[in-house]
Amino acid sequence: MIHFYSMMADVDPKSFWNGTNNSPELIAMIAITTILGFIVLGFLMVAPIQLRKYVIAAVTFLSGLFYVAFYLFPVPVGRKPQDVPANIVESVGFWISDTQPVVANFSNIIGGFLLGLGIYSQLHLHIRRITRQQTDWGFSVVLIVSMVAIVICGYGDWIMRQGPKGSELQLQSKWGLLNYGSDLLFDGLLQQMDAAMFSMVAFYILSAAYRAFRARSLEATILLIAALIVVLSLMGALEYVWNGGINNLAQNDANSFIQNFRLTDIAKWLKDTIQTPAIRGIDFGVGIGLLAMGLRLWLSLETTGGNQ
Amino acid sequence: MADATTPEMSLGEKLQALPKWSLYVVLVILTSVPLFAKLEVPNKPVEASIDFYGKIMAVPDGSRILVGSDWTNSTRGESKGEMKVLLRILMRKNVKFAFYCFDPQAPQVVRDTIREVNAERIARQEKPYRPFDDYVSLGYFPNAEGTCNAINNNLLAAFSGKKDTPENSGPKDVFESPVFAGVKSVKDFQLLALITASSTNTVTLERIKKIPLLFMVTGVMVPENQNYYASNQIVGLAGGLKGVYDLEQLMEHGINNPGPEMIPSSKWGVVPGFKGALNSGMGTAYYPTLHFALLLLIVAILTGNVGMFLAKKQAKKGAA
Amino acid sequence: MDYTFIKMTLGVLATVGLYSVLYRENKFYRFWEHVFLGLASGWALVILWTETLKSTWWDKMLGATNNSGQASVMGYWAYAALLPIGMMGYFVFSKKHNWISRIPIGIILGMYSGQQIQVWWNRFGPQIDNSIKPILPTSTASFFKPGTSGLAPDAVAKINSTVYPSQAITNIIFVVTLLSVMSYFLFSFDIKSKMLKNTTTLGRWLLMIGFGAIFGSTVMMRFTLLIDRMYFIWIEWFKMLVLRQPG
Amino acid sequence: MGQQYLDTGWLGVAVTATIVAFILFNIYRARGGKELFIRRIPGLTAIDEAVGRATEMGKPVVMVPGLGDGTVNAKSLQALNIFSYVSRVAAKFATPIIVCCSNASLFALAQEVIRDVYQQEGVLDRYDMDSVRFISDRQFAFAAGVSGLVLRQQAAAAFLMGEFYAESLIMAETANSVGAIQVASSTETTQTPFFIAACDYVLIGDEFYAASAYLAKQPVLVGSLIGQDWGKAFLGFCVLVGTLVSSVQLLGSTTQEFKEGKMNTIPERIMKKSDTFFSRMLNPDPDPKIEITREKYPADQLPTPAPKETIK
């Protein structure tokens, strides 16, 4: 099918930045990049103190600059597959839009590499608790055991699914111990606990509402009434009765003005006329706050940690 | 902690100091018992749901849409109902779809839901939706921001290298699937329907600008998305259990469809429903029970306030 | 005892275990809490490779070949640089070189902040557009918008495109709400002027209405999830598995 | 002209640029040593009060910088700024602190920031590496872990600040049940009502961003805050003017219609919102038929196509 061919061509035209799978030049480039990376790391370790600030600032600025350019730089109009850029401006435009998908995952990949830090902190805490027999050290054992168990089962299961017999594993009858293990730990426990924890919020909402939703001040009263109206409007049955009553008042005249007082319409009016602009008002503020924060970070204007 | 009630408390103070656990017990009972009874409650779909139904029905039969799925078992109660409604409509209209996820668990959950809906169809002698041919799983994308940018900017690059497994065969490149036949950019999809339980809703509408967006969100996200719906950043919105129930009713009765239970809308012409098809789902199952829970909440709030006023009266008396 | 039964029963036990904290913190809860934390971290380690690094780093770096072994996706060597960058994070525990850990963080934050500037208008532009509403009635034929049921489409269209006094008032309330709420979040203006003081107070009240409405619609979701849990315990597990009855 | 300018028009860029300019200009002013006024934010005094209380009771202060989206972001960073102030106070009085992190990158940063604080206070010996903890990067495991911690440690004060979602109420109610003072703030509007219901002090909306400016009194932060105010005022002004202008315009009628990049003359009709000046500015409608022909890459630079039989 021809679309497949042209499509693949759209995805990556051969360029300086890429190489064919398993091709020697690609592997060479990868090796070189990695080594260079570690050499740079080595240099950083001996970098003079006064330089540090600038290194961090520069790195931050450059990584931010990409998306700013992605936003500001004119995207070439009506680009078609396999087009060659007509001029320097266009080639930059092409480069940016071709590179964005590559850059897209950087922060998550780096974040991924950092996960080890978190796990280390957890293990450090709990292993010390066990070795020193501190209170609840038994539970620390539980934590570590379940962590190890799911790691083994999870990877075991994944490797089997990647293997030649992978597609068979869609049938439970073909499962082995590891498959059962990973299904039990993830699907049977982890997922269920997620749902359980989330559903507990319902209890907390009830107690919080009972404890705190008192008509103490004018503000509180306003909050209370608005909440009640919306809650009522969510109860289809009650809504039906109310609207029915209104309808009788209006002698079933769908165009009567009284119809505006159906519970649905009151709630809708509240939503569209007060709630929406109120939230929008907050969002404008938060949005600009975020923009400013982003700007300060990007230009390294503030010292994180509010040093004094 | 105002849990312990002491005998010498006045009625007002007692009403304000009901032990938490008693409230909890009542809540559990009220959310469990009604589930065993089959109840029907009347309902009037909100405008946002009607628009959602109208838009999704307006998608030409046999064409294709993009589906973003970003929910897991933790919001099963609402999101799964939404997903099922969407799937039922798409499958009945024979609309092909490709789905991507921003949560590592989401792809599996979607597949399970599709399996369920397929089972329904087989039970009713309808053709099931086949993986890879009728729908494609693009899998999980760790970085919502970057991926949304990429989808809008260069869809093929965003999805390149993704593989999906057809029935009885090894994994294949998703671009080999009929769903992607002739696809060049995101514009080749009729619209994007996003079922989300997280902040990916803003991430998506901030970045994907080239096709219309339909959102299916959880109850907590309704007010926020009401805002986007009002400003036409999204063209349809199904919010929470109410949204699910609305859509299930719309599937039954359609819009402006003459009949005893016609659902009127000045925005839309006559949009047919799927009378006789299996339209009732989780919305129909849970919505009645929700009433009891909400009722308890209201009672609890009122009790607290009544208690407060009684106590105030008492205090005044004491002062006098 | 089949596998499904064990699996579901464990799920129920875990649920009850976590719920038990509602009464008071206890050993049963503590047990499940630690299982939960252990599984969560373990799972994070699993998907770190299977769902994140493999597909978004390793495969992209090496490129991919389709079934027939032909190149179908090009590999991008630049990805290789990310490994050393990631490693820099681990200097955080070093007394001497901990500053190096700021570099990967700097990259993450840099990209994040760049995007803030990129998406700001996409998000707020349309909202500004929508906040501009007609506050002068274009017709005074009737105070309220007439009902449209049973009218010809063009008549409906005409009514919908006209601004009646009632709508004008609604729109004024909308704009006033928006502006007064925004004024509440002005921090650098000294609230001495009576005018500003009043608008900010008004803004706060209107905020409360907004929050009330949010509370209302959130309650729906939270209760739904509880209902779903109860459905899992009572219908899916107790009724269908223990009593072996049809749902 | 670039596609992006056809899509969003120059206006988007202009407005963003204006606000950016406002912020930078004020930062510049503030750095110039100009004393700039910012209003007292109610609820901030609570911070010192809460820490003081914890010190008396000798119980820990728990700080949660929100959930974040897998990696560290501006919101959690903002929270860290506030927390570094809190831990500064705590460090002075040797009050135990616990910072619960929901992702590893944030953990790395928090670890460093908090240690810096102790170092600057000259009490590095008081700093315990385990006082900054990675709990879990899974929302509800995180919630379970934090509540368990709060309950067992009987925290005297809890600071919940940053990006909170459904877990907000779990933590708030738990902390409330052990009688901890709570200062909370969520960048998620939808969670604010629950904090209002369950916590002692709440920072609403971008009071959260203002907070660190007020606490740290860094010229940069103060200046930026004022720049943001200008930005907000500017937006408000645009909405106001826009409303008035289009309302007046809508009273009239038009004989012109702007469509797909061209102005067409049409029979006179009443104005629609889409005809108004502001709506036209905000909704550029580029000509979709713009075509540019460029030369193509030679085929040999393209990856070899897969043989047909492998493609179904």
Side-chain angles (χ1 to χ4, degrees):
Chain A
M1 252 157 65
I2 196 63
H3 81 265
F4 184 47
Y5 165 77
S6 56
M7 175 179 299
M8 290 294 89
D10 301 354
V11 175
D12 329 339
K14 173 86 185 71
S15 76
F16 167 72
W17 297 97
N18 60 21
T20 324
N21 174 247
N22 295 332
S23 64
E25 64 266 46
L26 179 65
I27 293 168
M29 283 306 264
I30 290 174
I32 294 167
T33 322
T34 322
I35 294 161
L36 278 178
F38 279 104
I39 292 173
V40 171
L41 181 49
F43 275 118
L44 288 173
M45 292 177 72
V46 296
I49 294 150
Q50 58 273 31
L51 206 70
R52 299 175 173 181
K53 197 157 112 259
Y54 300 103
V55 174
I56 298 169
V59 166
T60 317
F61 178 77
L62 288 178
S63 18
L65 186 63
F66 180 83
Y67 275 104
V68 176
F70 180 66
Y71 173 48
L72 291 179
F73 202 86
V75 180
V77 180
R79 177 184 182 185
K80 281 185 273 355
Q82 305 157 47
D83 274 1
V84 173
N87 54 37
I88 177 70
V89 179
E90 278 202 351
S91 36
V92 177
F94 278 25
W95 181 82
I96 291 177
S97 61
D98 291 345
T99 319
Q100 190 273 332
V102 182
V103 177
N105 292 318
F106 278 13
S107 50
N108 276 71
I109 297 169
I110 297 174
F113 283 127
L114 295 180
L115 179 64
L117 282 171
I119 305 295
Y120 169 80
S121 121
Q122 228 171 12
L123 291 177
H124 178 270
L125 185 81
H126 288 282
I127 289 175
R128 197 180 55 179
R129 206 183 264 173
I130 296 169
T131 48
R132 301 196 188 160
Q133 308 269 311
Q134 290 164 333
T135 46
D136 283 347
W137 65 275
F139 293 109
S140 301
V141 176
V142 173
L143 186 147
I144 292 174
V145 168
S146 31
M147 190 192 296
V148 173
I150 199 168
V151 167
I152 294 171
C153 296
Y155 273 109
D157 176 72
W158 180 74
I159 292 163
M160 286 167 77
R161 286 178 192 278
Q162 297 297 304
K165 291 206 164 42
S167 50
E168 289 180 5
L169 290 173
Q170 287 162 359
L171 308 169
Q172 199 183 332
S173 54
K174 297 263 200 276
W175 281 8
L177 186 62
L178 287 177
N179 309 101
Y180 276 112
S182 110
D183 181 70
L184 186 70
L185 292 175
F186 174 63
D187 212 39
L189 280 179
L190 193 52
Q191 296 258 45
Q192 298 297 351
M193 292 202 229
D194 262 343
M197 206 64 203
F198 203 159
S199 60
M200 266 167 70
V201 180
F203 295 101
Y204 290 127
I205 274 195
L206 183 60
S207 56
Y210 168 69
R211 191 187 73 244
F213 271 38
R214 304 275 165 86
R216 282 198 194 81
S217 63
L218 179 60
E219 263 179 43
T221 320
I222 295 173
L223 187 81
L224 189 60
I225 293 169
L228 282 178
I229 291 177
V230 175
V231 170
L232 291 176
S233 77
L234 287 172
M235 301 173 69
L238 184 126
E239 188 187 3
Y240 189 79
V241 177
W242 180 310
N243 296 356
I246 294 288
N247 204 12
N248 294 341
L249 280 177
Q251 289 102 16
N252 298 327
D253 170 8
N255 292 343
S256 157
F257 143 71
I258 311 175
Q259 297 284 13
N260 291 320
F261 292 97
R262 287 173 301 196
L263 190 51
T264 352
D265 297 77
I266 300 177
K268 184 179 181 307
W269 188 88
L270 203 63
K271 273 207 193 90
D272 299 349
T273 319
I274 309 279
Q275 173 195 311
T276 301
I279 293 180
R280 197 170 284 175
I282 303 177
D283 280 0
F284 280 159
V286 173
I288 294 183
L290 211 48
L291 182 67
M293 184 82 195
L295 201 61
R296 299 200 303 267
L297 286 174
W298 179 41
L299 305 173
S300 308
L301 289 173
E302 74 182 276
T303 45
T304 316
N307 303 359
Q308 287 170 341
Chain B
M1 236 162 77
D3 266 35
T5 49
T6 46
E8 67 274 10
M9 282 171 112
S10 75
L11 174 65
E13 287 162 330
K14 280 210 193 82
L15 285 179
Q16 289 187 77
L18 300 175
K20 270 185 192 171
W21 61 265
S22 61
L23 287 173
Y24 294 163
V25 171
V26 181
L27 181 58
V28 169
I29 294 169
L30 284 184
T31 47
S32 311
V33 177
L35 286 173
F36 289 89
K38 294 254 172 291
L39 303 163
E40 262 288 338
V41 289
N43 174 43
K44 182 176 182 296
V46 295
E47 198 185 352
S49 313
I50 295 179
D51 278 356
F52 187 101
Y53 185 73
K55 290 285 181 196
I56 198 82
M57 289 302 283
V59 173
D61 291 22
S63 60
R64 68 167 81 83
I65 74 165
L66 204 54
V67 173
S69 175
D70 188 33
W71 61 279
T72 64
N73 263 15
S74 51
T75 57
R76 188 182 80 153
E78 289 189 315
S79 309
K80 188 177 178 185
E82 291 167 342
M83 187 93 217
K84 271 185 130 172
V85 170
L86 181 68
L87 288 172
R88 282 172 172 174
I89 297 179
L90 292 180
M91 292 185 182
R92 285 169 198 176
K93 289 172 61 62
N94 187 25
V95 172
K96 296 190 184 313
F97 64 93
F99 70 89
Y100 62 87
C101 305
F102 290 137
D103 185 294
Q105 286 93 54
Q108 190 49 44
V109 189
V110 176
R111 273 188 225 102
D112 296 345
T113 318
I114 294 177
R115 196 173 302 124
E116 274 183 40
V117 179
N118 268 334
E120 293 172 3
R121 290 176 66 84
I122 294 165
R124 305 171 65 93
Q125 282 85 34
E126 293 162 331
K127 106 173 199 334
Y129 247 43
R130 289 174 40 248
F132 207 74
D133 297 342
D134 299 320
Y135 69 92
V136 178
S137 164
L138 298 164
Y140 161 66
F141 294 82
N143 180 330
E145 285 85 357
T147 310
C148 286
N149 264 326
I151 291 175
N152 194 55
N153 151 41
N154 183 349
L155 176 107
L156 298 173
F159 295 155
S160 74
K162 284 290 181 177
K163 293 198 180 322
D164 190 19
T165 326
E167 279 166 347
N168 45 54
S169 133
K172 280 189 187 168
D173 193 301
V174 290
F175 292 141
E176 296 180 44
S177 149
V179 179
F180 276 89
V183 170
K184 293 249 167 291
S185 89
V186 67
K187 288 191 185 124
D188 294 315
F189 290 87
Q190 294 287 330
L191 52 81
L192 165 62
L194 177 70
I195 302 121
T196 179
S198 82
S199 58
T200 44
N201 61 329
T202 13
V203 173
T204 304
L205 68 82
E206 280 169 348
R207 290 165 179 80
I208 297 183
K209 313 275 294 171
K210 291 182 180 168
I211 52 172
L213 303 174
L214 288 178
F215 280 5
M216 301 182 110
V217 302
T218 54
V220 63
M221 298 162 73
V222 171
E224 178 196 3
N225 289 278
Q226 191 71 31
N227 176 5
Y228 303 137
Y229 167 72
S231 54
N232 293 319
Q233 285 167 291
I234 54 179
V235 294
L237 173 67
L241 186 61
K242 168 92 167 121
V244 178
Y245 193 50
D246 284 353
L247 284 170
E248 284 171 2
Q249 300 243 305
L250 283 157
M251 285 166 78
E252 187 68 26
H253 307 302
I255 306 174
N256 297 327
N257 216 359
E261 304 178 48
M262 171 173 118
I263 298 169
S265 162
S266 57
K267 262 193 184 166
W268 293 91
V270 175
V271 181
F274 300 96
K275 203 111 191 108
L278 176 61
N279 296 327
S280 73
M282 295 173 77
T284 319
Y286 293 174
Y287 198 56
T289 315
L290 179 65
H291 284 64
F292 295 91
L294 291 177
L295 211 59
L296 173 62
L297 179 84
I298 295 169
V299 171
I301 294 179
L302 293 182
T303 321
N305 283 283
V306 171
M308 187 179 73
F309 284 117
L310 287 182
K312 272 189 185 159
K313 267 224 194 89
Q314 209 81 14
K316 280 214 191 70
K317 273 212 201 87
Chain C
M1 282 254 288
D2 64 338
Y3 172 66
T4 330
F5 185 81
I6 300 168
K7 184 175 160 184
M8 297 275 272
T9 314
L10 266 176
V12 173
L13 277 177
T15 308
V16 176
L18 289 176
Y19 276 8
S20 70
V21 77
L22 287 168
Y23 184 64
R24 71 159 55 93
E25 208 273 346
N26 62 73
K27 284 202 154 36
F28 192 45
Y29 169 79
R30 223 172 291 174
F31 172 79
W32 285 111
E33 176 201 336
H34 284 77
V35 173
F36 198 0
L37 288 173
L39 290 178
S41 304
W43 185 249
L45 278 174
V46 174
I47 61 172
L48 170 65
W49 180 258
T50 62
E51 297 289 354
T52 306
L53 292 184
K54 172 82 165 60
S55 57
T56 59
W57 181 64
W58 189 250
D59 290 351
K60 297 268 184 189
M61 181 166 68
L62 295 183
T65 51
N66 61 25
N67 308 350
S68 61
Q70 298 272 13
S72 64
V73 180
M74 300 299 247
Y76 285 82
W77 48 265
Y79 280 101
L82 296 177
L83 178 62
I85 294 176
M87 292 306 120
M88 294 179 185
Y90 289 80
F91 282 82
V92 69
F93 298 119
S94 128
K95 292 263 174 296
K96 192 151 159 286
H97 300 296
N98 60 340
W99 72 277
I100 295 182
S101 66
R102 280 293 185 95
I103 291 177
I105 305 279
I107 294 178
I108 292 174
L109 288 174
M111 294 193 165
Y112 179 87
S113 19
Q115 290 198 35
Q116 294 314 315
I117 298 166
Q118 177 213 344
V119 300
W120 190 84
W121 179 256
N122 290 351
R123 176 166 172 190
F124 293 105
Q127 298 189 23
I128 296 171
D129 180 25
N130 172 262
S131 309
I132 295 176
K133 293 185 178 293
I135 57 170
L136 299 177
T138 59
S139 154
T140 48
S142 90
F143 182 74
F144 286 93
K145 177 181 177 185
T148 53
S149 75
L151 289 177
D154 53 344
V156 175
K158 191 169 184 320
I159 290 181
N160 286 341
S161 63
T162 331
V163 184
Y164 292 93
S166 61
Q167 280 163 300
I169 294 170
T170 305
N171 291 347
I172 292 175
I173 299 177
F174 182 101
V175 176
V176 169
T177 310
L178 177 65
L179 293 179
S180 47
V181 167
M182 283 174 82
S183 76
Y184 174 76
F185 290 108
L186 293 176
F187 301 107
S188 59
F189 296 75
D190 195 354
I191 314 186
K192 290 228 170 50
S193 79
K194 200 102 182 67
M195 166 72 179
L196 187 59
K197 199 172 180 57
N198 294 343
T199 35
T200 50
T201 335
L202 178 64
R204 199 171 161 84
W205 292 348
L206 292 162
L207 264 180
M208 289 306 146
I209 298 184
F211 286 144
I214 293 175
F215 182 92
S217 42
T218 309
V219 167
M220 164 174 73
M221 171 198 195
R222 306 308 191 216
F223 283 151
T224 308
L225 296 186
L226 177 62
I227 294 170
D228 184 60
R229 230 8 22 203
M230 292 303 142
Y231 188 86
F232 168 75
I233 295 179
W234 295 117
I235 307 294
E236 291 179 359
W237 180 73
F238 183 69
K239 193 171 175 200
M240 292 162 80
L241 242 88
V242 178
L243 304 182
R244 305 222 171 276
Q245 285 177 6
Chain D
M1 183 162 176
Q3 180 78 48
Q4 173 247 344
Y5 293 94
L6 292 174
D7 289 348
T8 65
W10 51 270
L11 187 69
V13 182
V15 174
T16 317
T18 317
I19 292 171
V20 167
F22 283 162
I23 296 167
L24 291 180
F25 171 67
N26 281 288
I27 291 180
Y28 170 77
R29 266 172 74 211
R31 272 187 163 178
K34 193 163 179 336
E35 253 325 301
L36 298 168
F37 167 87
I38 44 175
R39 162 160 71 86
R40 184 102 188 82
I41 299 160
L44 280 186
T45 26
I47 293 183
D48 300 335
E49 181 191 335
V51 180
R53 168 106 167 278
T55 318
E56 289 163 19
M57 302 167 75
K59 288 180 179 173
V61 176
V62 173
M63 295 175 253
V64 187
L67 208 56
D69 45 13
T71 56
V72 56
N73 64 28
K75 297 166 187 167
S76 29
L77 200 67
Q78 180 68 24
L80 273 189
N81 282 344
I82 300 176
F83 291 168
S84 65
Y85 172 86
V86 176
S87 13
R88 200 174 295 279
V89 182
K92 287 199 187 94
F93 301 114
T95 314
I97 61 165
I98 303 175
V99 182
C100 305
C101 301
S102 62
N103 70 63
S105 345
L106 176 58
F107 166 76
L109 192 61
Q111 188 64 251
E112 208 208 327
V113 168
I114 304 295
R115 188 175 56 202
D116 278 358
V117 169
Y118 276 76
Q119 201 156 21
Q120 289 160 18
E121 294 301 315
V123 287
L124 194 53
D125 50 313
R126 284 182 193 162
Y127 177 72
D128 167 13
M129 200 195 101
D130 288 335
S131 60
V132 177
R133 297 185 189 178
F134 168 81
I135 302 294
S136 171
D137 58 1
R138 226 183 139 77
Q139 185 179 13
F140 290 103
F142 182 63
V146 173
S147 12
L149 206 64
V150 168
L151 288 167
R152 285 190 289 277
Q153 303 275 346
Q154 290 289 311
F159 294 88
L160 313 168
M161 294 182 158
E163 212 174 350
F164 283 86
Y165 298 94
E167 71 282 4
S168 60
L169 199 59
I170 301 182
M171 298 177 183
E173 276 295 285
T174 322
N176 172 281
S177 69
V178 295
I181 296 193
Q182 300 179 76
V183 186
S185 162
S186 175
T187 53
E188 299 305 303
T189 322
T190 45
Q191 298 303 330
T192 314
F194 302 100
F195 276 152
I196 292 181
C199 300
D200 304 281
Y201 302 95
V202 181
L203 303 179
I204 300 169
D206 62 340
E207 284 181 338
F208 171 60
Y209 291 97
S212 64
Y214 198 93
L215 293 173
K217 285 272 192 279
Q218 276 186 48
V220 174
L221 296 179
V222 177
S224 143
L225 187 63
I226 291 167
Q228 296 169 35
D229 271 12
W230 288 20
K232 277 173 262 174
F234 174 64
L235 287 192
F237 179 75
C238 293
V239 171
L240 195 59
V241 173
T243 308
L244 296 175
V245 172
S246 5
S247 306
V248 174
Q249 278 188 306
L250 278 171
L251 296 177
S253 64
T254 179
T255 62
Q256 286 190 316
E257 186 174 56
F258 188 80
K259 206 161 183 307
E260 298 189 338
K262 288 182 249 33
M263 187 64 93
N264 315 319
T265 317
I266 53 157
E268 178 160 17
R269 60 161 170 76
I270 56 163
M271 287 283 262
K272 293 212 203 81
K273 185 170 190 285
S274 56
D275 303 321
T276 57
F277 171 71
F278 274 85
S279 163
R280 282 248 314 283
M281 294 249 294
L282 286 153
N283 305 297
D285 183 9
D287 180 358
K289 292 177 289 301
I290 294 180
E291 288 282 331
I292 292 182
T293 44
R294 305 182 179 86
E295 56 178 293
K296 302 286 181 189
Y297 278 102
D300 63 348
Q301 286 193 20
L302 303 170
T304 32
K308 287 197 170 26
E309 65 273 14
T310 65
I311 305 153
K312 301 208 178 41

